[in-house]
Amino acid sequence: MCQHKPTCPSADDDARLAAVPVTARPEQGWSLLCNRVVVFDDTGALLPSGKSIAPYRPEPVAAA
């Protein structure tokens, strides 16, 4: 697994996206992190277990 010091967060950790990218394919819109999480340009992610993390979409703020 991770050979970095300090070690990268695991795929199950809430800070999973702080792991070091080991492969990047910007032309395809994804990167593979050291913890085997695939991160997509739209902020979604795919965990090694096969579980997907939906893209982060902030709620619009209503005009006052």
Side-chain angles (χ1 to χ4, degrees):
M1 280 276 256
C2 180
Q3 302 298 317
H4 303 103
K5 298 295 181 208
T7 57
C8 292
S10 75
D12 298 323
D13 193 326
D14 287 338
R16 67 180 66 87
L17 299 181
V20 175
V22 293
T23 302
R25 296 290 183 253
E27 70 280 3
Q28 296 177 352
W30 61 271
S31 296
L32 175 65
L33 304 180
C34 180
N35 57 7
R36 300 181 351 210
V37 173
V38 178
V39 180
F40 298 98
D41 285 351
D42 69 354
T43 70
L46 184 61
L47 303 182
S49 65
K51 178 182 175 187
S52 64
I53 305 295
Y56 173 70
R57 301 280 192 250
E59 292 294 322
V61 177

PDB file of all heavy atoms in Angstrom, residues 25-63:
ATOM      1  N   ARG A  25      -5.027  10.897 -15.437  1.00  0.00           N
ATOM      2  CA  ARG A  25      -5.448  10.915 -16.830  1.00  0.00           C
ATOM      3  C   ARG A  25      -6.392  12.107 -17.020  1.00  0.00           C
ATOM      4  O   ARG A  25      -7.612  11.951 -17.140  1.00  0.00           O
ATOM      5  CB  ARG A  25      -6.163   9.610 -17.210  1.00  0.00           C
ATOM      6  CG  ARG A  25      -5.285   8.385 -17.126  1.00  0.00           C
ATOM      7  CD  ARG A  25      -4.240   8.404 -18.238  1.00  0.00           C
ATOM      8  NE  ARG A  25      -3.433   7.202 -18.204  1.00  0.00           N
ATOM      9  CZ  ARG A  25      -2.181   7.153 -17.801  1.00  0.00           C
ATOM     10  NH1 ARG A  25      -1.586   8.245 -17.382  1.00  0.00           N
ATOM     11  NH2 ARG A  25      -1.508   6.028 -17.817  1.00  0.00           N
ATOM     12  N   PRO A  26      -5.830  13.318 -17.015  1.00  0.00           N
ATOM     13  CA  PRO A  26      -6.685  14.511 -17.120  1.00  0.00           C
ATOM     14  C   PRO A  26      -7.504  14.552 -18.405  1.00  0.00           C
ATOM     15  O   PRO A  26      -8.610  15.091 -18.419  1.00  0.00           O
ATOM     16  CB  PRO A  26      -5.702  15.673 -17.032  1.00  0.00           C
ATOM     17  CG  PRO A  26      -4.365  15.091 -17.323  1.00  0.00           C
ATOM     18  CD  PRO A  26      -4.421  13.646 -16.954  1.00  0.00           C
ATOM     19  N   GLU A  27      -6.987  13.966 -19.480  1.00  0.00           N
ATOM     20  CA  GLU A  27      -7.751  13.955 -20.732  1.00  0.00           C
ATOM     21  C   GLU A  27      -8.996  13.086 -20.623  1.00  0.00           C
ATOM     22  O   GLU A  27      -9.945  13.247 -21.377  1.00  0.00           O
ATOM     23  CB  GLU A  27      -6.864  13.493 -21.905  1.00  0.00           C
ATOM     24  CG  GLU A  27      -6.468  12.041 -21.882  1.00  0.00           C
ATOM     25  CD  GLU A  27      -5.299  11.675 -20.942  1.00  0.00           C
ATOM     26  OE1 GLU A  27      -4.785  12.536 -20.227  1.00  0.00           O
ATOM     27  OE2 GLU A  27      -4.932  10.488 -20.936  1.00  0.00           O
ATOM     28  N   GLN A  28      -8.997  12.150 -19.664  1.00  0.00           N
ATOM     29  CA  GLN A  28     -10.156  11.293 -19.425  1.00  0.00           C
ATOM     30  C   GLN A  28     -10.941  11.725 -18.194  1.00  0.00           C
ATOM     31  O   GLN A  28     -12.007  11.189 -17.922  1.00  0.00           O
ATOM     32  CB  GLN A  28      -9.715   9.838 -19.273  1.00  0.00           C
ATOM     33  CG  GLN A  28      -9.108   9.275 -20.525  1.00  0.00           C
ATOM     34  CD  GLN A  28      -8.607   7.846 -20.343  1.00  0.00           C
ATOM     35  OE1 GLN A  28      -8.572   7.317 -19.237  1.00  0.00           O
ATOM     36  NE2 GLN A  28      -8.214   7.235 -21.430  1.00  0.00           N
ATOM     37  N   GLY A  29     -10.372  12.650 -17.406  1.00  0.00           N
ATOM     38  CA  GLY A  29     -11.094  13.204 -16.265  1.00  0.00           C
ATOM     39  C   GLY A  29     -11.004  12.411 -14.979  1.00  0.00           C
ATOM     40  O   GLY A  29     -11.918  12.488 -14.160  1.00  0.00           O
ATOM     41  N   TRP A  30      -9.917  11.662 -14.757  1.00  0.00           N
ATOM     42  CA  TRP A  30      -9.807  10.899 -13.510  1.00  0.00           C
ATOM     43  C   TRP A  30      -8.357  10.794 -13.062  1.00  0.00           C
ATOM     44  O   TRP A  30      -7.429  10.982 -13.840  1.00  0.00           O
ATOM     45  CB  TRP A  30     -10.407   9.502 -13.640  1.00  0.00           C
ATOM     46  CG  TRP A  30      -9.756   8.627 -14.676  1.00  0.00           C
ATOM     47  CD1 TRP A  30     -10.097   8.533 -15.990  1.00  0.00           C
ATOM     48  CD2 TRP A  30      -8.642   7.741 -14.484  1.00  0.00           C
ATOM     49  NE1 TRP A  30      -9.272   7.636 -16.631  1.00  0.00           N
ATOM     50  CE2 TRP A  30      -8.369   7.126 -15.725  1.00  0.00           C
ATOM     51  CE3 TRP A  30      -7.866   7.402 -13.394  1.00  0.00           C
ATOM     52  CZ2 TRP A  30      -7.342   6.205 -15.891  1.00  0.00           C
ATOM     53  CZ3 TRP A  30      -6.841   6.480 -13.569  1.00  0.00           C
ATOM     54  CH2 TRP A  30      -6.603   5.883 -14.807  1.00  0.00           C
ATOM     55  N   SER A  31      -8.200  10.493 -11.770  1.00  0.00           N
ATOM     56  CA  SER A  31      -6.887  10.238 -11.168  1.00  0.00           C
ATOM     57  C   SER A  31      -7.016   9.068 -10.198  1.00  0.00           C
ATOM     58  O   SER A  31      -8.054   8.890  -9.565  1.00  0.00           O
ATOM     59  CB  SER A  31      -6.395  11.454 -10.380  1.00  0.00           C
ATOM     60  OG  SER A  31      -6.181  12.548 -11.222  1.00  0.00           O
ATOM     61  N   LEU A  32      -5.960   8.283 -10.092  1.00  0.00           N
ATOM     62  CA  LEU A  32      -5.899   7.183  -9.139  1.00  0.00           C
ATOM     63  C   LEU A  32      -5.022   7.624  -7.976  1.00  0.00           C
ATOM     64  O   LEU A  32      -3.886   8.046  -8.178  1.00  0.00           O
ATOM     65  CB  LEU A  32      -5.311   5.927  -9.787  1.00  0.00           C
ATOM     66  CG  LEU A  32      -5.077   4.733  -8.856  1.00  0.00           C
ATOM     67  CD1 LEU A  32      -6.408   4.208  -8.326  1.00  0.00           C
ATOM     68  CD2 LEU A  32      -4.308   3.643  -9.584  1.00  0.00           C
ATOM     69  N   LEU A  33      -5.559   7.524  -6.763  1.00  0.00           N
ATOM     70  CA  LEU A  33      -4.810   7.904  -5.578  1.00  0.00           C
ATOM     71  C   LEU A  33      -4.087   6.701  -4.996  1.00  0.00           C
ATOM     72  O   LEU A  33      -4.411   5.550  -5.296  1.00  0.00           O
ATOM     73  CB  LEU A  33      -5.756   8.501  -4.522  1.00  0.00           C
ATOM     74  CG  LEU A  33      -6.588   9.696  -4.978  1.00  0.00           C
ATOM     75  CD1 LEU A  33      -7.469  10.179  -3.832  1.00  0.00           C
ATOM     76  CD2 LEU A  33      -5.714  10.798  -5.517  1.00  0.00           C
ATOM     77  N   CYS A  34      -3.121   6.964  -4.150  1.00  0.00           N
ATOM     78  CA  CYS A  34      -2.305   5.938  -3.518  1.00  0.00           C
ATOM     79  C   CYS A  34      -3.152   4.908  -2.755  1.00  0.00           C
ATOM     80  O   CYS A  34      -2.785   3.751  -2.653  1.00  0.00           O
ATOM     81  CB  CYS A  34      -1.308   6.621  -2.577  1.00  0.00           C
ATOM     82  SG  CYS A  34      -0.221   5.509  -1.704  1.00  0.00           S
ATOM     83  N   ASN A  35      -4.279   5.343  -2.216  1.00  0.00           N
ATOM     84  CA  ASN A  35      -5.154   4.452  -1.452  1.00  0.00           C
ATOM     85  C   ASN A  35      -6.148   3.705  -2.340  1.00  0.00           C
ATOM     86  O   ASN A  35      -7.112   3.145  -1.857  1.00  0.00           O
ATOM     87  CB  ASN A  35      -5.884   5.234  -0.364  1.00  0.00           C
ATOM     88  CG  ASN A  35      -6.685   6.389  -0.919  1.00  0.00           C
ATOM     89  OD1 ASN A  35      -6.814   6.563  -2.121  1.00  0.00           O
ATOM     90  ND2 ASN A  35      -7.222   7.201  -0.031  1.00  0.00           N
ATOM     91  N   ARG A  36      -5.908   3.709  -3.665  1.00  0.00           N
ATOM     92  CA  ARG A  36      -6.697   3.000  -4.671  1.00  0.00           C
ATOM     93  C   ARG A  36      -8.074   3.603  -4.912  1.00  0.00           C
ATOM     94  O   ARG A  36      -8.957   2.967  -5.460  1.00  0.00           O
ATOM     95  CB  ARG A  36      -6.818   1.513  -4.328  1.00  0.00           C
ATOM     96  CG  ARG A  36      -5.498   0.830  -4.243  1.00  0.00           C
ATOM     97  CD  ARG A  36      -5.580  -0.645  -3.940  1.00  0.00           C
ATOM     98  NE  ARG A  36      -6.899  -1.096  -3.574  1.00  0.00           N
ATOM     99  CZ  ARG A  36      -7.156  -2.096  -2.762  1.00  0.00           C
ATOM    100  NH1 ARG A  36      -6.193  -2.769  -2.235  1.00  0.00           N
ATOM    101  NH2 ARG A  36      -8.390  -2.451  -2.493  1.00  0.00           N
ATOM    102  N   VAL A  37      -8.283   4.840  -4.510  1.00  0.00           N
ATOM    103  CA  VAL A  37      -9.521   5.568  -4.795  1.00  0.00           C
ATOM    104  C   VAL A  37      -9.358   6.247  -6.153  1.00  0.00           C
ATOM    105  O   VAL A  37      -8.334   6.867  -6.415  1.00  0.00           O
ATOM    106  CB  VAL A  37      -9.822   6.618  -3.705  1.00  0.00           C
ATOM    107  CG1 VAL A  37     -11.011   7.491  -4.094  1.00  0.00           C
ATOM    108  CG2 VAL A  37     -10.080   5.933  -2.367  1.00  0.00           C
ATOM    109  N   VAL A  38     -10.357   6.116  -7.018  1.00  0.00           N
ATOM    110  CA  VAL A  38     -10.369   6.815  -8.298  1.00  0.00           C
ATOM    111  C   VAL A  38     -11.206   8.079  -8.105  1.00  0.00           C
ATOM    112  O   VAL A  38     -12.360   8.006  -7.684  1.00  0.00           O
ATOM    113  CB  VAL A  38     -10.977   5.945  -9.418  1.00  0.00           C
ATOM    114  CG1 VAL A  38     -11.027   6.713 -10.728  1.00  0.00           C
ATOM    115  CG2 VAL A  38     -10.182   4.658  -9.580  1.00  0.00           C
ATOM    116  N   VAL A  39     -10.601   9.226  -8.396  1.00  0.00           N
ATOM    117  CA  VAL A  39     -11.267  10.520  -8.232  1.00  0.00           C
ATOM    118  C   VAL A  39     -11.546  11.088  -9.620  1.00  0.00           C
ATOM    119  O   VAL A  39     -10.671  11.086 -10.486  1.00  0.00           O
ATOM    120  CB  VAL A  39     -10.369  11.496  -7.443  1.00  0.00           C
ATOM    121  CG1 VAL A  39     -11.063  12.831  -7.262  1.00  0.00           C
ATOM    122  CG2 VAL A  39     -10.004  10.916  -6.103  1.00  0.00           C
ATOM    123  N   PHE A  40     -12.764  11.578  -9.811  1.00  0.00           N
ATOM    124  CA  PHE A  40     -13.167  12.135 -11.096  1.00  0.00           C
ATOM    125  C   PHE A  40     -13.187  13.656 -11.037  1.00  0.00           C
ATOM    126  O   PHE A  40     -13.361  14.245  -9.965  1.00  0.00           O
ATOM    127  CB  PHE A  40     -14.540  11.586 -11.491  1.00  0.00           C
ATOM    128  CG  PHE A  40     -14.528  10.097 -11.653  1.00  0.00           C
ATOM    129  CD1 PHE A  40     -14.971   9.270 -10.627  1.00  0.00           C
ATOM    130  CD2 PHE A  40     -14.048   9.517 -12.812  1.00  0.00           C
ATOM    131  CE1 PHE A  40     -14.936   7.894 -10.769  1.00  0.00           C
ATOM    132  CE2 PHE A  40     -14.017   8.143 -12.964  1.00  0.00           C
ATOM    133  CZ  PHE A  40     -14.458   7.327 -11.931  1.00  0.00           C
ATOM    134  N   ASP A  41     -13.027  14.291 -12.186  1.00  0.00           N
ATOM    135  CA  ASP A  41     -12.999  15.744 -12.262  1.00  0.00           C
ATOM    136  C   ASP A  41     -14.279  16.393 -11.745  1.00  0.00           C
ATOM    137  O   ASP A  41     -14.250  17.541 -11.320  1.00  0.00           O
ATOM    138  CB  ASP A  41     -12.771  16.207 -13.699  1.00  0.00           C
ATOM    139  CG  ASP A  41     -11.336  16.021 -14.142  1.00  0.00           C
ATOM    140  OD1 ASP A  41     -10.471  15.694 -13.294  1.00  0.00           O
ATOM    141  OD2 ASP A  41     -11.068  16.205 -15.337  1.00  0.00           O
ATOM    142  N   ASP A  42     -15.388  15.687 -11.784  1.00  0.00           N
ATOM    143  CA  ASP A  42     -16.649  16.266 -11.302  1.00  0.00           C
ATOM    144  C   ASP A  42     -16.788  16.151  -9.786  1.00  0.00           C
ATOM    145  O   ASP A  42     -17.840  16.418  -9.248  1.00  0.00           O
ATOM    146  CB  ASP A  42     -17.843  15.627 -11.994  1.00  0.00           C
ATOM    147  CG  ASP A  42     -18.074  14.175 -11.593  1.00  0.00           C
ATOM    148  OD1 ASP A  42     -17.248  13.603 -10.853  1.00  0.00           O
ATOM    149  OD2 ASP A  42     -19.088  13.609 -12.025  1.00  0.00           O
ATOM    150  N   THR A  43     -15.735  15.744  -9.088  1.00  0.00           N
ATOM    151  CA  THR A  43     -15.615  15.572  -7.627  1.00  0.00           C
ATOM    152  C   THR A  43     -16.221  14.263  -7.125  1.00  0.00           C
ATOM    153  O   THR A  43     -16.231  14.027  -5.924  1.00  0.00           O
ATOM    154  CB  THR A  43     -16.187  16.755  -6.809  1.00  0.00           C
ATOM    155  OG1 THR A  43     -17.605  16.790  -6.914  1.00  0.00           O
ATOM    156  CG2 THR A  43     -15.577  18.077  -7.222  1.00  0.00           C
ATOM    157  N   GLY A  44     -16.693  13.411  -7.993  1.00  0.00           N
ATOM    158  CA  GLY A  44     -17.140  12.092  -7.586  1.00  0.00           C
ATOM    159  C   GLY A  44     -15.938  11.178  -7.383  1.00  0.00           C
ATOM    160  O   GLY A  44     -14.810  11.519  -7.748  1.00  0.00           O
ATOM    161  N   ALA A  45     -16.171  10.023  -6.782  1.00  0.00           N
ATOM    162  CA  ALA A  45     -15.076   9.083  -6.535  1.00  0.00           C
ATOM    163  C   ALA A  45     -15.604   7.655  -6.567  1.00  0.00           C
ATOM    164  O   ALA A  45     -16.793   7.407  -6.354  1.00  0.00           O
ATOM    165  CB  ALA A  45     -14.415   9.369  -5.192  1.00  0.00           C
ATOM    166  N   LEU A  46     -14.698   6.733  -6.823  1.00  0.00           N
ATOM    167  CA  LEU A  46     -14.995   5.310  -6.799  1.00  0.00           C
ATOM    168  C   LEU A  46     -14.020   4.660  -5.835  1.00  0.00           C
ATOM    169  O   LEU A  46     -12.808   4.765  -6.001  1.00  0.00           O
ATOM    170  CB  LEU A  46     -14.848   4.711  -8.199  1.00  0.00           C
ATOM    171  CG  LEU A  46     -15.206   3.249  -8.368  1.00  0.00           C
ATOM    172  CD1 LEU A  46     -16.667   3.002  -8.013  1.00  0.00           C
ATOM    173  CD2 LEU A  46     -14.915   2.799  -9.783  1.00  0.00           C
ATOM    174  N   LEU A  47     -14.559   4.009  -4.795  1.00  0.00           N
ATOM    175  CA  LEU A  47     -13.731   3.367  -3.782  1.00  0.00           C
ATOM    176  C   LEU A  47     -13.310   1.982  -4.252  1.00  0.00           C
ATOM    177  O   LEU A  47     -13.959   1.375  -5.114  1.00  0.00           O
ATOM    178  CB  LEU A  47     -14.502   3.270  -2.459  1.00  0.00           C
ATOM    179  CG  LEU A  47     -15.021   4.584  -1.879  1.00  0.00           C
ATOM    180  CD1 LEU A  47     -15.709   4.328  -0.547  1.00  0.00           C
ATOM    181  CD2 LEU A  47     -13.918   5.600  -1.740  1.00  0.00           C
ATOM    182  N   PRO A  48     -12.232   1.437  -3.682  1.00  0.00           N
ATOM    183  CA  PRO A  48     -11.780   0.094  -4.075  1.00  0.00           C
ATOM    184  C   PRO A  48     -12.843  -0.985  -3.867  1.00  0.00           C
ATOM    185  O   PRO A  48     -12.857  -1.981  -4.574  1.00  0.00           O
ATOM    186  CB  PRO A  48     -10.580  -0.167  -3.178  1.00  0.00           C
ATOM    187  CG  PRO A  48     -10.148   1.149  -2.678  1.00  0.00           C
ATOM    188  CD  PRO A  48     -11.338   2.047  -2.716  1.00  0.00           C
ATOM    189  N   SER A  49     -13.743  -0.771  -2.938  1.00  0.00           N
ATOM    190  CA  SER A  49     -14.812  -1.738  -2.671  1.00  0.00           C
ATOM    191  C   SER A  49     -15.872  -1.742  -3.768  1.00  0.00           C
ATOM    192  O   SER A  49     -16.736  -2.621  -3.797  1.00  0.00           O
ATOM    193  CB  SER A  49     -15.475  -1.412  -1.329  1.00  0.00           C
ATOM    194  OG  SER A  49     -16.137  -0.154  -1.410  1.00  0.00           O
ATOM    195  N   GLY A  50     -15.837  -0.741  -4.656  1.00  0.00           N
ATOM    196  CA  GLY A  50     -16.844  -0.611  -5.707  1.00  0.00           C
ATOM    197  C   GLY A  50     -17.906   0.417  -5.369  1.00  0.00           C
ATOM    198  O   GLY A  50     -18.719   0.774  -6.216  1.00  0.00           O
ATOM    199  N   LYS A  51     -17.906   0.911  -4.137  1.00  0.00           N
ATOM    200  CA  LYS A  51     -18.872   1.932  -3.724  1.00  0.00           C
ATOM    201  C   LYS A  51     -18.531   3.245  -4.412  1.00  0.00           C
ATOM    202  O   LYS A  51     -17.370   3.612  -4.538  1.00  0.00           O
ATOM    203  CB  LYS A  51     -18.830   2.118  -2.212  1.00  0.00           C
ATOM    204  CG  LYS A  51     -19.764   3.177  -1.701  1.00  0.00           C
ATOM    205  CD  LYS A  51     -19.660   3.361  -0.201  1.00  0.00           C
ATOM    206  CE  LYS A  51     -20.536   4.517   0.228  1.00  0.00           C
ATOM    207  NZ  LYS A  51     -20.332   4.837   1.635  1.00  0.00           N
ATOM    208  N   SER A  52     -19.557   3.955  -4.859  1.00  0.00           N
ATOM    209  CA  SER A  52     -19.322   5.251  -5.489  1.00  0.00           C
ATOM    210  C   SER A  52     -19.672   6.370  -4.521  1.00  0.00           C
ATOM    211  O   SER A  52     -20.560   6.238  -3.675  1.00  0.00           O
ATOM    212  CB  SER A  52     -20.139   5.382  -6.773  1.00  0.00           C
ATOM    213  OG  SER A  52     -21.514   5.347  -6.480  1.00  0.00           O
ATOM    214  N   ILE A  53     -18.951   7.467  -4.640  1.00  0.00           N
ATOM    215  CA  ILE A  53     -19.205   8.679  -3.871  1.00  0.00           C
ATOM    216  C   ILE A  53     -19.727   9.705  -4.868  1.00  0.00           C
ATOM    217  O   ILE A  53     -19.062  10.010  -5.867  1.00  0.00           O
ATOM    218  CB  ILE A  53     -17.914   9.211  -3.205  1.00  0.00           C
ATOM    219  CG1 ILE A  53     -17.255   8.128  -2.353  1.00  0.00           C
ATOM    220  CG2 ILE A  53     -18.185  10.465  -2.412  1.00  0.00           C
ATOM    221  CD1 ILE A  53     -18.053   7.672  -1.155  1.00  0.00           C
ATOM    222  N   ALA A  54     -20.918  10.199  -4.611  1.00  0.00           N
ATOM    223  CA  ALA A  54     -21.537  11.154  -5.536  1.00  0.00           C
ATOM    224  C   ALA A  54     -20.745  12.454  -5.579  1.00  0.00           C
ATOM    225  O   ALA A  54     -20.125  12.845  -4.591  1.00  0.00           O
ATOM    226  CB  ALA A  54     -22.976  11.438  -5.096  1.00  0.00           C
ATOM    227  N   PRO A  55     -20.758  13.126  -6.718  1.00  0.00           N
ATOM    228  CA  PRO A  55     -20.094  14.422  -6.816  1.00  0.00           C
ATOM    229  C   PRO A  55     -20.662  15.407  -5.801  1.00  0.00           C
ATOM    230  O   PRO A  55     -21.853  15.370  -5.478  1.00  0.00           O
ATOM    231  CB  PRO A  55     -20.398  14.894  -8.234  1.00  0.00           C
ATOM    232  CG  PRO A  55     -20.727  13.659  -8.985  1.00  0.00           C
ATOM    233  CD  PRO A  55     -21.359  12.734  -7.988  1.00  0.00           C
ATOM    234  N   TYR A  56     -19.797  16.283  -5.330  1.00  0.00           N
ATOM    235  CA  TYR A  56     -20.209  17.305  -4.380  1.00  0.00           C
ATOM    236  C   TYR A  56     -20.926  18.412  -5.140  1.00  0.00           C
ATOM    237  O   TYR A  56     -20.361  19.008  -6.051  1.00  0.00           O
ATOM    238  CB  TYR A  56     -18.995  17.871  -3.648  1.00  0.00           C
ATOM    239  CG  TYR A  56     -19.333  19.048  -2.771  1.00  0.00           C
ATOM    240  CD1 TYR A  56     -20.072  18.879  -1.602  1.00  0.00           C
ATOM    241  CD2 TYR A  56     -18.941  20.323  -3.122  1.00  0.00           C
ATOM    242  CE1 TYR A  56     -20.394  19.947  -0.808  1.00  0.00           C
ATOM    243  CE2 TYR A  56     -19.256  21.403  -2.322  1.00  0.00           C
ATOM    244  CZ  TYR A  56     -19.990  21.216  -1.169  1.00  0.00           C
ATOM    245  OH  TYR A  56     -20.315  22.285  -0.384  1.00  0.00           O
ATOM    246  N   ARG A  57     -22.153  18.639  -4.789  1.00  0.00           N
ATOM    247  CA  ARG A  57     -22.942  19.688  -5.424  1.00  0.00           C
ATOM    248  C   ARG A  57     -23.495  20.585  -4.321  1.00  0.00           C
ATOM    249  O   ARG A  57     -24.479  20.244  -3.663  1.00  0.00           O
ATOM    250  CB  ARG A  57     -24.120  19.097  -6.204  1.00  0.00           C
ATOM    251  CG  ARG A  57     -23.714  18.133  -7.286  1.00  0.00           C
ATOM    252  CD  ARG A  57     -23.264  18.885  -8.534  1.00  0.00           C
ATOM    253  NE  ARG A  57     -23.133  17.992  -9.647  1.00  0.00           N
ATOM    254  CZ  ARG A  57     -21.967  17.658 -10.173  1.00  0.00           C
ATOM    255  NH1 ARG A  57     -20.850  18.125  -9.694  1.00  0.00           N
ATOM    256  NH2 ARG A  57     -21.908  16.842 -11.210  1.00  0.00           N
ATOM    257  N   PRO A  58     -22.878  21.751  -4.101  1.00  0.00           N
ATOM    258  CA  PRO A  58     -23.380  22.631  -3.044  1.00  0.00           C
ATOM    259  C   PRO A  58     -24.786  23.125  -3.368  1.00  0.00           C
ATOM    260  O   PRO A  58     -25.141  23.296  -4.533  1.00  0.00           O
ATOM    261  CB  PRO A  58     -22.389  23.788  -3.011  1.00  0.00           C
ATOM    262  CG  PRO A  58     -21.658  23.717  -4.296  1.00  0.00           C
ATOM    263  CD  PRO A  58     -21.743  22.308  -4.803  1.00  0.00           C
ATOM    264  N   GLU A  59     -25.562  23.322  -2.332  1.00  0.00           N
ATOM    265  CA  GLU A  59     -26.917  23.840  -2.504  1.00  0.00           C
ATOM    266  C   GLU A  59     -26.835  25.316  -2.882  1.00  0.00           C
ATOM    267  O   GLU A  59     -26.064  26.064  -2.299  1.00  0.00           O
ATOM    268  CB  GLU A  59     -27.709  23.696  -1.198  1.00  0.00           C
ATOM    269  CG  GLU A  59     -28.000  22.249  -0.829  1.00  0.00           C
ATOM    270  CD  GLU A  59     -28.932  21.586  -1.799  1.00  0.00           C
ATOM    271  OE1 GLU A  59     -29.874  22.229  -2.292  1.00  0.00           O
ATOM    272  OE2 GLU A  59     -28.709  20.399  -2.092  1.00  0.00           O
ATOM    273  N   PRO A  60     -27.639  25.753  -3.854  1.00  0.00           N
ATOM    274  CA  PRO A  60     -27.634  27.164  -4.211  1.00  0.00           C
ATOM    275  C   PRO A  60     -28.179  28.008  -3.055  1.00  0.00           C
ATOM    276  O   PRO A  60     -29.072  27.582  -2.319  1.00  0.00           O
ATOM    277  CB  PRO A  60     -28.539  27.251  -5.433  1.00  0.00           C
ATOM    278  CG  PRO A  60     -29.252  25.962  -5.505  1.00  0.00           C
ATOM    279  CD  PRO A  60     -28.521  24.969  -4.654  1.00  0.00           C
ATOM    280  N   VAL A  61     -27.620  29.184  -2.901  1.00  0.00           N
ATOM    281  CA  VAL A  61     -28.070  30.090  -1.858  1.00  0.00           C
ATOM    282  C   VAL A  61     -29.133  30.995  -2.446  1.00  0.00           C
ATOM    283  O   VAL A  61     -28.944  31.613  -3.501  1.00  0.00           O
ATOM    284  CB  VAL A  61     -26.873  30.937  -1.335  1.00  0.00           C
ATOM    285  CG1 VAL A  61     -27.343  31.936  -0.298  1.00  0.00           C
ATOM    286  CG2 VAL A  61     -25.796  30.033  -0.790  1.00  0.00           C
ATOM    287  N   ALA A  62     -30.267  31.074  -1.761  1.00  0.00           N
ATOM    288  CA  ALA A  62     -31.369  31.904  -2.229  1.00  0.00           C
ATOM    289  C   ALA A  62     -31.019  33.376  -2.037  1.00  0.00           C
ATOM    290  O   ALA A  62     -30.409  33.761  -1.040  1.00  0.00           O
ATOM    291  CB  ALA A  62     -32.639  31.556  -1.489  1.00  0.00           C
ATOM    292  N   ALA A  63     -31.423  34.184  -2.989  1.00  0.00           N
ATOM    293  CA  ALA A  63     -31.201  35.637  -2.881  1.00  0.00           C
ATOM    294  C   ALA A  63     -32.070  36.184  -1.760  1.00  0.00           C
ATOM    295  O   ALA A  63     -33.221  35.790  -1.590  1.00  0.00           O
ATOM    296  CB  ALA A  63     -31.528  36.315  -4.195  1.00  0.00           C
TER     297      ALA A  63
END
